[in-house]
PDB file of all heavy atoms in Angstrom:
ATOM      1  N   ASP Z 484     123.757  99.726  97.846  1.00 96.00           N
ATOM      2  CA  ASP Z 484     123.013  98.755  97.042  1.00 96.00           C
ATOM      3  C   ASP Z 484     123.024  97.377  97.702  1.00 96.00           C
ATOM      4  O   ASP Z 484     122.006  96.669  97.711  1.00 96.00           O
ATOM      5  CB  ASP Z 484     123.622  98.652  95.640  1.00 96.00           C
ATOM      6  CG  ASP Z 484     123.356  99.891  94.793  1.00 96.00           C
ATOM      7  OD1 ASP Z 484     122.528 100.726  95.204  1.00 96.00           O
ATOM      8  OD2 ASP Z 484     123.990 100.022  93.729  1.00 96.00           O
ATOM      9  N   ALA Z 485     124.178  96.990  98.244  1.00 97.00           N
ATOM     10  CA  ALA Z 485     124.284  95.688  98.909  1.00 97.00           C
ATOM     11  C   ALA Z 485     123.375  95.639 100.138  1.00 97.00           C
ATOM     12  O   ALA Z 485     122.729  94.622 100.411  1.00 97.00           O
ATOM     13  CB  ALA Z 485     125.729  95.414  99.303  1.00 97.00           C
ATOM     14  N   VAL Z 486     123.311  96.741 100.877  1.00 97.00           N
ATOM     15  CA  VAL Z 486     122.434  96.816 102.049  1.00 97.00           C
ATOM     16  C   VAL Z 486     120.977  96.675 101.616  1.00 97.00           C
ATOM     17  O   VAL Z 486     120.205  95.921 102.234  1.00 97.00           O
ATOM     18  CB  VAL Z 486     122.656  98.138 102.801  1.00 97.00           C
ATOM     19  CG1 VAL Z 486     121.532  98.374 103.821  1.00 97.00           C
ATOM     20  CG2 VAL Z 486     124.000  98.124 103.515  1.00 97.00           C
ATOM     21  N   LEU Z 487     120.589  97.366 100.562  1.00 97.00           N
ATOM     22  CA  LEU Z 487     119.207  97.273 100.085  1.00 97.00           C
ATOM     23  C   LEU Z 487     118.840  95.848  99.681  1.00 97.00           C
ATOM     24  O   LEU Z 487     117.747  95.364  99.987  1.00 97.00           O
ATOM     25  CB  LEU Z 487     119.008  98.223  98.906  1.00 97.00           C
ATOM     26  CG  LEU Z 487     118.669  99.678  99.227  1.00 97.00           C
ATOM     27  CD1 LEU Z 487     118.652 100.515  97.957  1.00 97.00           C
ATOM     28  CD2 LEU Z 487     117.332  99.795  99.946  1.00 97.00           C
ATOM     29  N   ARG Z 488     119.768  95.166  99.004  1.00 97.00           N
ATOM     30  CA  ARG Z 488     119.487  93.782  98.598  1.00 97.00           C
ATOM     31  C   ARG Z 488     119.332  92.883  99.813  1.00 97.00           C
ATOM     32  O   ARG Z 488     118.426  92.037  99.859  1.00 97.00           O
ATOM     33  CB  ARG Z 488     120.605  93.267  97.684  1.00 97.00           C
ATOM     34  CG  ARG Z 488     120.539  93.810  96.252  1.00 97.00           C
ATOM     35  CD  ARG Z 488     121.491  93.059  95.337  1.00 97.00           C
ATOM     36  NE  ARG Z 488     122.879  93.330  95.679  1.00 97.00           N
ATOM     37  CZ  ARG Z 488     123.620  94.278  95.120  1.00 97.00           C
ATOM     38  NH1 ARG Z 488     123.091  95.050  94.183  1.00 97.00           N
ATOM     39  NH2 ARG Z 488     124.882  94.451  95.464  1.00 97.00           N
ATOM     40  N   ASP Z 489     120.207  93.042 100.798  1.00 97.00           N
ATOM     41  CA  ASP Z 489     120.116  92.206 101.997  1.00 97.00           C
ATOM     42  C   ASP Z 489     118.857  92.515 102.794  1.00 97.00           C
ATOM     43  O   ASP Z 489     118.206  91.604 103.325  1.00 97.00           O
ATOM     44  CB  ASP Z 489     121.352  92.408 102.875  1.00 97.00           C
ATOM     45  CG  ASP Z 489     122.557  91.624 102.375  1.00 97.00           C
ATOM     46  OD1 ASP Z 489     122.378  90.794 101.458  1.00 97.00           O
ATOM     47  OD2 ASP Z 489     123.668  91.841 102.884  1.00 97.00           O
ATOM     48  N   VAL Z 490     118.516  93.791 102.902  1.00 97.00           N
ATOM     49  CA  VAL Z 490     117.301  94.167 103.622  1.00 97.00           C
ATOM     50  C   VAL Z 490     116.076  93.570 102.932  1.00 97.00           C
ATOM     51  O   VAL Z 490     115.182  93.025 103.586  1.00 97.00           O
ATOM     52  CB  VAL Z 490     117.192  95.701 103.709  1.00 97.00           C
ATOM     53  CG1 VAL Z 490     115.776  96.119 104.120  1.00 97.00           C
ATOM     54  CG2 VAL Z 490     118.200  96.250 104.712  1.00 97.00           C
ATOM     55  N   ALA Z 491     116.027  93.660 101.616  1.00 97.00           N
ATOM     56  CA  ALA Z 491     114.907  93.081 100.870  1.00 97.00           C
ATOM     57  C   ALA Z 491     114.796  91.586 101.138  1.00 97.00           C
ATOM     58  O   ALA Z 491     113.689  91.063 101.353  1.00 97.00           O
ATOM     59  CB  ALA Z 491     115.087  93.344  99.375  1.00 97.00           C
ATOM     60  N   ALA Z 492     115.921  90.889 101.145  1.00 97.00           N
ATOM     61  CA  ALA Z 492     115.909  89.445 101.399  1.00 97.00           C
ATOM     62  C   ALA Z 492     115.417  89.145 102.806  1.00 97.00           C
ATOM     63  O   ALA Z 492     114.667  88.175 103.025  1.00 97.00           O
ATOM     64  CB  ALA Z 492     117.307  88.873 101.191  1.00 97.00           C
ATOM     65  N   GLN Z 493     115.816  89.952 103.781  1.00 97.00           N
ATOM     66  CA  GLN Z 493     115.383  89.742 105.157  1.00 97.00           C
ATOM     67  C   GLN Z 493     113.875  89.956 105.301  1.00 97.00           C
ATOM     68  O   GLN Z 493     113.198  89.218 106.019  1.00 97.00           O
ATOM     69  CB  GLN Z 493     116.135  90.692 106.093  1.00 97.00           C
ATOM     70  CG  GLN Z 493     117.617  90.410 106.230  1.00 97.00           C
ATOM     71  CD  GLN Z 493     117.911  89.036 106.818  1.00 97.00           C
ATOM     72  OE1 GLN Z 493     117.160  88.521 107.648  1.00 97.00           O
ATOM     73  NE2 GLN Z 493     118.995  88.426 106.377  1.00 97.00           N
ATOM     74  N   ILE Z 494     113.343  90.963 104.627  1.00 97.00           N
ATOM     75  CA  ILE Z 494     111.910  91.231 104.706  1.00 97.00           C
ATOM     76  C   ILE Z 494     111.117  90.088 104.082  1.00 97.00           C
ATOM     77  O   ILE Z 494     110.153  89.585 104.672  1.00 97.00           O
ATOM     78  CB  ILE Z 494     111.583  92.571 104.015  1.00 97.00           C
ATOM     79  CG1 ILE Z 494     112.227  93.732 104.781  1.00 97.00           C
ATOM     80  CG2 ILE Z 494     110.066  92.774 103.930  1.00 97.00           C
ATOM     81  CD1 ILE Z 494     112.142  95.056 104.068  1.00 97.00           C
ATOM     82  N   VAL Z 495     111.524  89.669 102.888  1.00 97.00           N
ATOM     83  CA  VAL Z 495     110.828  88.565 102.220  1.00 97.00           C
ATOM     84  C   VAL Z 495     110.899  87.301 103.071  1.00 97.00           C
ATOM     85  O   VAL Z 495     109.926  86.550 103.186  1.00 97.00           O
ATOM     86  CB  VAL Z 495     111.427  88.325 100.823  1.00 97.00           C
ATOM     87  CG1 VAL Z 495     110.871  87.047 100.201  1.00 97.00           C
ATOM     88  CG2 VAL Z 495     111.147  89.516  99.913  1.00 97.00           C
ATOM     89  N   GLY Z 496     112.058  87.064 103.688  1.00 96.00           N
ATOM     90  CA  GLY Z 496     112.221  85.882 104.527  1.00 96.00           C
ATOM     91  C   GLY Z 496     111.380  85.904 105.784  1.00 96.00           C
ATOM     92  O   GLY Z 496     111.096  84.854 106.363  1.00 96.00           O
ATOM     93  N   THR Z 497     110.962  87.075 106.222  1.00 97.00           N
ATOM     94  CA  THR Z 497     110.150  87.198 107.430  1.00 97.00           C
ATOM     95  C   THR Z 497     108.676  86.956 107.152  1.00 97.00           C
ATOM     96  O   THR Z 497     107.951  86.460 108.019  1.00 97.00           O
ATOM     97  CB  THR Z 497     110.320  88.605 108.049  1.00 97.00           C
ATOM     98  OG1 THR Z 497     111.703  88.860 108.269  1.00 97.00           O
ATOM     99  CG2 THR Z 497     109.588  88.725 109.375  1.00 97.00           C
ATOM    100  N   LEU Z 498     108.235  87.283 105.970  1.00 97.00           N
ATOM    101  CA  LEU Z 498     106.813  87.269 105.656  1.00 97.00           C
ATOM    102  C   LEU Z 498     106.381  85.976 104.977  1.00 97.00           C
ATOM    103  O   LEU Z 498     107.193  85.125 104.639  1.00 97.00           O
ATOM    104  CB  LEU Z 498     106.488  88.472 104.764  1.00 97.00           C
ATOM    105  CG  LEU Z 498     106.774  89.835 105.397  1.00 97.00           C
ATOM    106  CD1 LEU Z 498     106.501  90.963 104.398  1.00 97.00           C
ATOM    107  CD2 LEU Z 498     105.949  90.039 106.663  1.00 97.00           C
ATOM    108  N   ARG Z 499     105.076  85.862 104.786  1.00 95.00           N
ATOM    109  CA  ARG Z 499     104.497  84.672 104.168  1.00 95.00           C
ATOM    110  C   ARG Z 499     104.625  84.726 102.641  1.00 95.00           C
ATOM    111  O   ARG Z 499     104.749  85.809 102.076  1.00 95.00           O
ATOM    112  CB  ARG Z 499     103.008  84.574 104.528  1.00 95.00           C
ATOM    113  CG  ARG Z 499     102.691  84.590 106.018  1.00 95.00           C
ATOM    114  CD  ARG Z 499     101.206  84.821 106.245  1.00 95.00           C
ATOM    115  NE  ARG Z 499     100.776  86.125 105.721  1.00 95.00           N
ATOM    116  CZ  ARG Z 499      99.519  86.578 105.756  1.00 95.00           C
ATOM    117  NH1 ARG Z 499      98.564  85.829 106.284  1.00 95.00           N
ATOM    118  NH2 ARG Z 499      99.225  87.771 105.254  1.00 95.00           N
ATOM    119  N   PRO Z 500     104.553  83.575 101.981  1.00 94.00           N
ATOM    120  CA  PRO Z 500     104.591  83.587 100.510  1.00 94.00           C
ATOM    121  C   PRO Z 500     103.440  84.374  99.892  1.00 94.00           C
ATOM    122  O   PRO Z 500     103.567  84.881  98.776  1.00 94.00           O
ATOM    123  CB  PRO Z 500     104.509  82.103 100.141  1.00 94.00           C
ATOM    124  CG  PRO Z 500     105.030  81.381 101.338  1.00 94.00           C
ATOM    125  CD  PRO Z 500     104.607  82.200 102.523  1.00 94.00           C
ATOM    126  N   THR Z 501     102.315  84.467 100.600  1.00 93.00           N
ATOM    127  CA  THR Z 501     101.162  85.193 100.073  1.00 93.00           C
ATOM    128  C   THR Z 501     101.280  86.701 100.257  1.00 93.00           C
ATOM    129  O   THR Z 501     100.507  87.459  99.663  1.00 93.00           O
ATOM    130  CB  THR Z 501      99.874  84.715 100.755  1.00 93.00           C
ATOM    131  OG1 THR Z 501     100.037  84.786 102.192  1.00 93.00           O
ATOM    132  CG2 THR Z 501      99.560  83.275 100.375  1.00 93.00           C
ATOM    133  N   ASP Z 502     102.221  87.158 101.075  1.00 96.00           N
ATOM    134  CA  ASP Z 502     102.421  88.591 101.260  1.00 96.00           C
ATOM    135  C   ASP Z 502     103.174  89.170 100.064  1.00 96.00           C
ATOM    136  O   ASP Z 502     103.955  88.466  99.414  1.00 96.00           O
ATOM    137  CB  ASP Z 502     103.192  88.867 102.557  1.00 96.00           C
ATOM    138  CG  ASP Z 502     102.446  88.384 103.790  1.00 96.00           C
ATOM    139  OD1 ASP Z 502     101.196  88.405 103.769  1.00 96.00           O
ATOM    140  OD2 ASP Z 502     103.093  87.980 104.773  1.00 96.00           O
ATOM    141  N   VAL Z 503     102.952  90.430  99.788  1.00 96.00           N
ATOM    142  CA  VAL Z 503     103.547  91.086  98.617  1.00 96.00           C
ATOM    143  C   VAL Z 503     104.483  92.188  99.103  1.00 96.00           C
ATOM    144  O   VAL Z 503     104.060  93.098  99.811  1.00 96.00           O
ATOM    145  CB  VAL Z 503     102.459  91.682  97.703  1.00 96.00           C
ATOM    146  CG1 VAL Z 503     103.094  92.343  96.485  1.00 96.00           C
ATOM    147  CG2 VAL Z 503     101.475  90.600  97.267  1.00 96.00           C
ATOM    148  N   VAL Z 504     105.760  92.093  98.717  1.00 97.00           N
ATOM    149  CA  VAL Z 504     106.763  93.072  99.141  1.00 97.00           C
ATOM    150  C   VAL Z 504     107.234  93.846  97.914  1.00 97.00           C
ATOM    151  O   VAL Z 504     107.629  93.251  96.913  1.00 97.00           O
ATOM    152  CB  VAL Z 504     107.960  92.382  99.827  1.00 97.00           C
ATOM    153  CG1 VAL Z 504     108.921  93.426 100.391  1.00 97.00           C
ATOM    154  CG2 VAL Z 504     107.475  91.461 100.947  1.00 97.00           C
ATOM    155  N   CYS Z 505     107.194  95.173  98.000  1.00 96.00           N
ATOM    156  CA  CYS Z 505     107.519  96.025  96.859  1.00 96.00           C
ATOM    157  C   CYS Z 505     108.500  97.117  97.280  1.00 96.00           C
ATOM    158  O   CYS Z 505     108.467  97.602  98.415  1.00 96.00           O
ATOM    159  CB  CYS Z 505     106.261  96.695  96.302  1.00 96.00           C
ATOM    160  SG  CYS Z 505     104.881  95.572  96.009  1.00 96.00           S
ATOM    161  N   ARG Z 506     109.340  97.495  96.347  1.00 95.00           N
ATOM    162  CA  ARG Z 506     110.177  98.675  96.560  1.00 95.00           C
ATOM    163  C   ARG Z 506     109.352  99.893  96.189  1.00 95.00           C
ATOM    164  O   ARG Z 506     109.010 100.107  95.032  1.00 95.00           O
ATOM    165  CB  ARG Z 506     111.448  98.600  95.715  1.00 95.00           C
ATOM    166  CG  ARG Z 506     112.435  99.714  96.065  1.00 95.00           C
ATOM    167  CD  ARG Z 506     113.711  99.616  95.265  1.00 95.00           C
ATOM    168  NE  ARG Z 506     114.660 100.658  95.640  1.00 95.00           N
ATOM    169  CZ  ARG Z 506     115.809 100.891  95.002  1.00 95.00           C
ATOM    170  NH1 ARG Z 506     116.149 100.114  93.980  1.00 95.00           N
ATOM    171  NH2 ARG Z 506     116.606 101.861  95.393  1.00 95.00           N
ATOM    172  N   TYR Z 507     109.035 100.705  97.190  1.00 92.00           N
ATOM    173  CA  TYR Z 507     108.139 101.837  97.003  1.00 92.00           C
ATOM    174  C   TYR Z 507     108.856 103.005  96.353  1.00 92.00           C
ATOM    175  O   TYR Z 507     108.270 103.797  95.630  1.00 92.00           O
ATOM    176  CB  TYR Z 507     107.559 102.237  98.358  1.00 92.00           C
ATOM    177  CG  TYR Z 507     106.333 103.110  98.288  1.00 92.00           C
ATOM    178  CD1 TYR Z 507     105.181 102.677  97.648  1.00 92.00           C
ATOM    179  CD2 TYR Z 507     106.323 104.365  98.887  1.00 92.00           C
ATOM    180  CE1 TYR Z 507     104.046 103.466  97.591  1.00 92.00           C
ATOM    181  CE2 TYR Z 507     105.191 105.167  98.838  1.00 92.00           C
ATOM    182  CZ  TYR Z 507     104.063 104.714  98.194  1.00 92.00           C
ATOM    183  OH  TYR Z 507     102.944 105.513  98.145  1.00 92.00           O
ATOM    184  N   GLY Z 508     110.148 103.106  96.626  1.00 87.00           N
ATOM    185  CA  GLY Z 508     110.947 104.185  96.060  1.00 87.00           C
ATOM    186  C   GLY Z 508     112.153 104.445  96.937  1.00 87.00           C
ATOM    187  O   GLY Z 508     112.050 104.492  98.161  1.00 87.00           O
ATOM    188  N   GLY Z 509     113.341 104.595  96.321  1.00 90.00           N
ATOM    189  CA  GLY Z 509     114.549 104.845  97.106  1.00 90.00           C
ATOM    190  C   GLY Z 509     114.799 103.733  98.100  1.00 90.00           C
ATOM    191  O   GLY Z 509     114.866 102.550  97.746  1.00 90.00           O
ATOM    192  N   GLU Z 510     114.927 104.108  99.385  1.00 95.00           N
ATOM    193  CA  GLU Z 510     115.160 103.132 100.447  1.00 95.00           C
ATOM    194  C   GLU Z 510     113.876 102.759 101.178  1.00 95.00           C
ATOM    195  O   GLU Z 510     113.913 102.196 102.269  1.00 95.00           O
ATOM    196  CB  GLU Z 510     116.182 103.674 101.449  1.00 95.00           C
ATOM    197  CG  GLU Z 510     115.736 104.884 102.245  1.00 95.00           C
ATOM    198  CD  GLU Z 510     116.015 106.205 101.557  1.00 95.00           C
ATOM    199  OE1 GLU Z 510     116.199 106.223 100.326  1.00 95.00           O
ATOM    200  OE2 GLU Z 510     116.049 107.224 102.259  1.00 95.00           O
ATOM    201  N   GLU Z 511     112.719 103.059 100.571  1.00 96.00           N
ATOM    202  CA  GLU Z 511     111.430 102.775 101.197  1.00 96.00           C
ATOM    203  C   GLU Z 511     110.806 101.537 100.564  1.00 96.00           C
ATOM    204  O   GLU Z 511     110.748 101.400  99.341  1.00 96.00           O
ATOM    205  CB  GLU Z 511     110.496 103.974 101.053  1.00 96.00           C
ATOM    206  CG  GLU Z 511     109.315 103.931 101.996  1.00 96.00           C
ATOM    207  CD  GLU Z 511     108.576 105.262 102.049  1.00 96.00           C
ATOM    208  OE1 GLU Z 511     108.647 106.023 101.062  1.00 96.00           O
ATOM    209  OE2 GLU Z 511     107.942 105.535 103.075  1.00 96.00           O
ATOM    210  N   ILE Z 512     110.339 100.633 101.421  1.00 97.00           N
ATOM    211  CA  ILE Z 512     109.756  99.361 100.988  1.00 97.00           C
ATOM    212  C   ILE Z 512     108.382  99.227 101.630  1.00 97.00           C
ATOM    213  O   ILE Z 512     108.173  99.643 102.774  1.00 97.00           O
ATOM    214  CB  ILE Z 512     110.669  98.184 101.391  1.00 97.00           C
ATOM    215  CG1 ILE Z 512     111.996  98.261 100.624  1.00 97.00           C
ATOM    216  CG2 ILE Z 512     109.989  96.841 101.129  1.00 97.00           C
ATOM    217  CD1 ILE Z 512     113.048  97.273 101.104  1.00 97.00           C
ATOM    218  N   ILE Z 513     107.454  98.665 100.890  1.00 97.00           N
ATOM    219  CA  ILE Z 513     106.108  98.453 101.420  1.00 97.00           C
ATOM    220  C   ILE Z 513     105.750  96.975 101.331  1.00 97.00           C
ATOM    221  O   ILE Z 513     106.074  96.305 100.351  1.00 97.00           O
ATOM    222  CB  ILE Z 513     105.080  99.315 100.650  1.00 97.00           C
ATOM    223  CG1 ILE Z 513     103.693  99.165 101.249  1.00 97.00           C
ATOM    224  CG2 ILE Z 513     105.064  98.979  99.173  1.00 97.00           C
ATOM    225  CD1 ILE Z 513     102.695 100.184 100.690  1.00 97.00           C
ATOM    226  N   ALA Z 514     105.123  96.481 102.385  1.00 97.00           N
ATOM    227  CA  ALA Z 514     104.668  95.087 102.413  1.00 97.00           C
ATOM    228  C   ALA Z 514     103.154  95.079 102.565  1.00 97.00           C
ATOM    229  O   ALA Z 514     102.607  95.762 103.433  1.00 97.00           O
ATOM    230  CB  ALA Z 514     105.318  94.327 103.562  1.00 97.00           C
ATOM    231  N   ILE Z 515     102.480  94.316 101.713  1.00 97.00           N
ATOM    232  CA  ILE Z 515     101.029  94.165 101.771  1.00 97.00           C
ATOM    233  C   ILE Z 515     100.733  92.780 102.322  1.00 97.00           C
ATOM    234  O   ILE Z 515     101.204  91.774 101.773  1.00 97.00           O
ATOM    235  CB  ILE Z 515     100.395  94.335 100.387  1.00 97.00           C
ATOM    236  CG1 ILE Z 515     100.824  95.666  99.761  1.00 97.00           C
ATOM    237  CG2 ILE Z 515      98.877  94.255 100.468  1.00 97.00           C
ATOM    238  CD1 ILE Z 515     100.420  95.798  98.304  1.00 97.00           C
ATOM    239  N   LEU Z 516      99.962  92.723 103.391  1.00 97.00           N
ATOM    240  CA  LEU Z 516      99.673  91.459 104.069  1.00 97.00           C
ATOM    241  C   LEU Z 516      98.178  91.175 103.998  1.00 97.00           C
ATOM    242  O   LEU Z 516      97.389  91.713 104.800  1.00 97.00           O
ATOM    243  CB  LEU Z 516     100.116  91.518 105.532  1.00 97.00           C
ATOM    244  CG  LEU Z 516     101.611  91.432 105.848  1.00 97.00           C
ATOM    245  CD1 LEU Z 516     102.401  92.593 105.269  1.00 97.00           C
ATOM    246  CD2 LEU Z 516     101.830  91.364 107.361  1.00 97.00           C
ATOM    247  N   PRO Z 517      97.728  90.355 103.041  1.00 95.00           N
ATOM    248  CA  PRO Z 517      96.301  90.020 102.976  1.00 95.00           C
ATOM    249  C   PRO Z 517      95.908  89.101 104.119  1.00 95.00           C
ATOM    250  O   PRO Z 517      96.734  88.343 104.650  1.00 95.00           O
ATOM    251  CB  PRO Z 517      96.173  89.317 101.623  1.00 95.00           C
ATOM    252  CG  PRO Z 517      97.541  88.776 101.344  1.00 95.00           C
ATOM    253  CD  PRO Z 517      98.508  89.728 101.967  1.00 95.00           C
ATOM    254  N   ASP Z 518      94.640  89.192 104.511  1.00 95.00           N
ATOM    255  CA  ASP Z 518      94.102  88.348 105.597  1.00 95.00           C
ATOM    256  C   ASP Z 518      94.962  88.467 106.846  1.00 95.00           C
ATOM    257  O   ASP Z 518      95.278  87.464 107.504  1.00 95.00           O
ATOM    258  CB  ASP Z 518      94.010  86.882 105.160  1.00 95.00           C
ATOM    259  CG  ASP Z 518      93.088  86.693 103.968  1.00 95.00           C
ATOM    260  OD1 ASP Z 518      92.088  87.431 103.872  1.00 95.00           O
ATOM    261  OD2 ASP Z 518      93.373  85.832 103.126  1.00 95.00           O
ATOM    262  N   CYS Z 519      95.347  89.681 107.190  1.00 95.00           N
ATOM    263  CA  CYS Z 519      96.221  89.909 108.350  1.00 95.00           C
ATOM    264  C   CYS Z 519      95.675  91.069 109.166  1.00 95.00           C
ATOM    265  O   CYS Z 519      95.530  92.186 108.659  1.00 95.00           O
ATOM    266  CB  CYS Z 519      97.645  90.210 107.885  1.00 95.00           C
ATOM    267  SG  CYS Z 519      98.826  90.392 109.245  1.00 95.00           S
TER     268      CYS Z 519
END
């Protein structure tokens, strides 16, 4: 769980505020990047 939280924070920190980051299921995460 701690790894998942840190990974989520790292992904959000890498992307733009306009990008949308979602937990898709389990350990899978999806990022939507508009105008990219």
Side-chain angles (χ1 to χ4, degrees):
D484 289 349
V486 167
L487 275 174
R488 284 191 292 267
D489 280 351
V490 165
Q493 292 298 327
I494 294 171
V495 171
T497 305
L498 299 176
R499 305 167 298 178
T501 53
D502 298 328
V503 181
V504 186
C505 311
R506 188 178 182 187
Y507 197 60
E510 66 273 20
E511 197 168 26
I512 294 171
I513 183 170
I515 306 171
L516 285 63
D518 299 326
C519 184

